[in-house]
Amino acid sequence: MLPLFIGVMDQTIVATALPAIAASLGELEQIAWVVVAYLIAVATAAPVYGRLGDAFGRKRMMFIAIAVTIAGSLACATSGSIEMLVAGRFLQGLGGGGLMGLSHALVGQSVPPRDRARFQGYFSTVMVTASVIGPVIGGVLTEHFGWRSIFLINIPLCLAAALLLLRLASYRPPPQPFRFDFPGLLLLFTFVASLLVLVEQVRHFFDMNLPLVAGLLFATLASLLLLYLREKRATTPLLPIPLLSNPNIWRLDLIALCHGGLFVALISLLPIYLSAVREFSPSDIGVMMLPMTGLVGFGSFLTGKLVSRTGRTMIFPSLGLTVCAILLVILAFVVNELSIIGLGFYMGALSFFLGGVMAAVQVTILSEAGPLLGTATATVQLSRSLGAAAGTAITSAVLFTTIAINGTEVSSDVLALLQGSAAAVGDLGAGAEAIRANVASAFAGVFLTIAAFAGLAAYFAWTVPHRRL
């Protein structure tokens, strides 16, 4: 659980430190690459660690992932330029992909199928907690110890994880011929990098470079097609096509993709709503997020218990995602009418039903993976990472497009207001209230978009053939 916590926290811990990093190193226009570089590396590295772990031992590969994370964290902490920091974040992400993917595979290796559900419930709680408190930890450390401390904190955590890992029993897979799929890795990297940079362009909807977007779209589709053709004929493919063509596996990956999109979009855009529309301070927003954090963890824990006791798996995400889709559609029309307490309880209930999704997905995919535990869990990690990036970009584009359609130019002052800047409110003067009303109505489209992700995930959940351990 500790390696998983480190990997997930590193995705979000830099969010609140970005202004301080930009002030220290300059190059404000390049600052987004501090986040994007990590995401590209994580998404690319997860299948690599999974495949190598299946071939040479997952515990051994986890030690390597921890060492790479430490090296990347040191590189980030000692960076003297934004280019060095981006390179350090990429190296850190190469370790983070292993921390997250191998954690789930090691559970599948270490415990019986029925008990996996209970552990996956714990893991889901850890993932959500790390995602939500990452920016809080980043803000506190940056304020009191400087932005470099958000990377240095990884070192004692990684050393503790390595010591705990020593307690796990070693497992040596049976000898088998293995040749690493370097062409597949190159094509996977091209696909992931092109897609995530494309997503970053879509996020800045009104400043898009259309020729660049067209080129990135072509590179994404071409690399995906070539990757499929390569993996079909490779002797030891990075992403085995027979595994991915399993109707359980590909449906579970699509659920992870949609779940990543809806959940990360929700926790990313809800603070913007609370700040821009309800005029909440950062500390008030933190308090409002607590019901979400607590109840998503409780939902995950309860689902793990129920799966362990009954053996039923997909009924819980099937029902949970259906209820979430309905709640999100209702929320789109009543969000501005709810009291603060009512909104807090509403979001808590929504999070409770979301909590059991990934625990059931992980335990089901482990039961389908056979000896390829690492590879199968890595596909879930890859899907969830891509879904999180794409879902946030799509919902952000919906928000800004709706604001523009409603008659408000998306200027730097408006963007600053959305980020909670008091100075921006003063600059906008009397027009601030009209913009708040515009943003409030635009969030109806945001919640409907997130509801569409939930509905799509529910559809795939209901159609997964494997429903009981």
Side-chain angles (χ1 to χ4, degrees), residues 192-206:
V192 170
S194 301
L195 178 62
L196 291 183
V197 176
L198 176 63
V199 161
E200 188 61 28
Q201 287 292 314
V202 172
R203 189 193 302 267
H204 302 94
F205 187 75
F206 293 96

Side-chain angles (χ1 to χ4, degrees), residues 27 54 71 77-78 114 127 135 137 211 244 249 256 259 262 313 320 323 351 367 417 421 441 449 455:
E27 303 288 343
D54 291 337
T78 56
R114 280 288 184 97
M127 289 181 68
I137 295 174
L244 296 178
I249 300 287
H259 182 270
L262 78 93
T313 54
V323 173
S351 299
S367 67
L417 182 145
S421 170
S441 64
T449 303

Side-chain angles (χ1 to χ4, degrees), residues 12 31 42 91 126 129 206 280 311 384 386 410 451:
T12 59
I31 200 67
V42 164
L91 181 60
V126 169
T129 303
F206 293 96
F280 272 32
R384 196 172 189 279
L386 296 179
V410 183

Side-chain angles (χ1 to χ4, degrees), residues 33 36 39-40 189-224 386 389-394 396-397:
W33 281 99
V36 176
L39 294 175
I40 291 173
F189 175 79
T190 304
F191 166 67
V192 170
S194 301
L195 178 62
L196 291 183
V197 176
L198 176 63
V199 161
E200 188 61 28
Q201 287 292 314
V202 172
R203 189 193 302 267
H204 302 94
F205 187 75
F206 293 96
D207 297 320
M208 281 196 302
N209 182 331
L210 291 180
L212 177 60
V213 168
L216 289 169
L217 181 60
F218 174 79
T220 300
L221 297 176
S223 58
L224 180 60
L386 296 179
T392 307
I394 292 169
S396 297

Side-chain angles (χ1 to χ4, degrees), residues 318-400:
S318 299
L319 291 171
L321 287 164
T322 302
V323 173
C324 285
I326 295 170
L327 289 177
L328 283 163
V329 170
I330 296 172
L331 183 65
F333 297 101
V334 303
V335 61
N336 297 312
E337 311 301 324
L338 291 173
S339 66
I340 295 303
I341 295 176
L343 181 59
F345 278 111
Y346 198 102
M347 298 309 298
L350 183 64
S351 299
F352 172 79
F353 288 105
L354 279 175
V357 175
M358 289 310 298
V361 165
Q362 289 285 1
V363 75
T364 306
I365 210 164
L366 286 172
S367 67
E368 286 288 313
L372 298 177
L373 290 176
T375 304
T377 56
T379 64
V380 173
Q381 179 59 45
L382 174 63
S383 299
R384 196 172 189 279
S385 297
L386 296 179
T392 307
I394 292 169
T395 49
S396 297
V398 168
L399 174 64
F400 295 133

Side-chain angles (χ1 to χ4, degrees), residues 97-323:
L99 298 183
M100 289 185 272
L102 291 170
S103 295
H104 294 287
L106 282 167
V107 168
Q109 170 185 308
S110 305
V111 300
R114 280 288 184 97
D115 288 340
R116 290 173 186 169
R118 180 162 50 92
F119 282 91
Q120 293 298 341
Y122 300 148
F123 270 48
S124 297
T125 304
V126 169
M127 289 181 68
V128 172
T129 303
S131 296
V132 174
I133 72 170
V136 178
I137 295 174
V140 171
L141 289 176
T142 300
E143 181 177 351
H144 295 286
F145 303 102
W147 63 265
R148 298 180 192 274
S149 63
I150 68 175
F151 304 112
L152 292 174
I153 193 176
N154 273 347
I155 297 172
L157 292 175
C158 284
L159 292 175
L163 289 174
L164 291 171
L165 189 62
L166 290 172
R167 300 177 61 188
L168 279 183
S170 295
Y171 167 77
R172 291 187 178 276
Q176 54 181 315
F178 182 81
R179 183 179 181 183
F180 188 74
D181 184 16
F182 285 104
L185 174 59
L186 178 61
L187 289 169
L188 175 65
F189 175 79
T190 304
F191 166 67
V192 170
S194 301
L195 178 62
L196 291 183
V197 176
L198 176 63
V199 161
E200 188 61 28
Q201 287 292 314
V202 172
R203 189 193 302 267
H204 302 94
F205 187 75
F206 293 96
D207 297 320
M208 281 196 302
N209 182 331
L210 291 180
L212 177 60
V213 168
L216 289 169
L217 181 60
F218 174 79
T220 300
L221 297 176
S223 58
L224 180 60
L225 175 61
L226 291 173
L227 177 62
Y228 172 75
L229 296 175
R230 165 64 194 177
E231 299 305 90
K232 278 188 70 174
R233 65 174 185 266
T235 53
T236 53
L238 186 63
L239 297 170
I241 297 301
L243 180 72
L244 296 178
S245 61
N246 180 321
N248 293 295
I249 300 287
W250 67 259
R251 282 180 172 85
L252 292 166
D253 284 340
L254 287 174
I255 294 169
L257 183 89
C258 296
H259 182 270
L262 78 93
F263 187 75
V264 175
L266 201 58
I267 64 174
S268 299
L269 293 178
L270 183 63
I272 294 177
Y273 172 82
L274 293 173
S275 173
V277 178
R278 299 295 182 106
E279 300 183 61
F280 272 32
S281 68
S283 59
D284 291 335
I285 292 172
V287 172
M288 272 294 296
M289 299 294 281
L290 287 177
M292 291 185 67
T293 309
L295 285 170
V296 77
F298 179 67
S300 177
F301 172 79
L302 182 62
T303 299
K305 288 284 190 183
L306 291 173
V307 172
S308 292
R309 183 170 298 178
T310 65
R312 297 184 181 277
T313 54
M314 292 310 298
I315 187 62
F316 301 108
S318 299
L319 291 171
L321 287 164
T322 302
V323 173

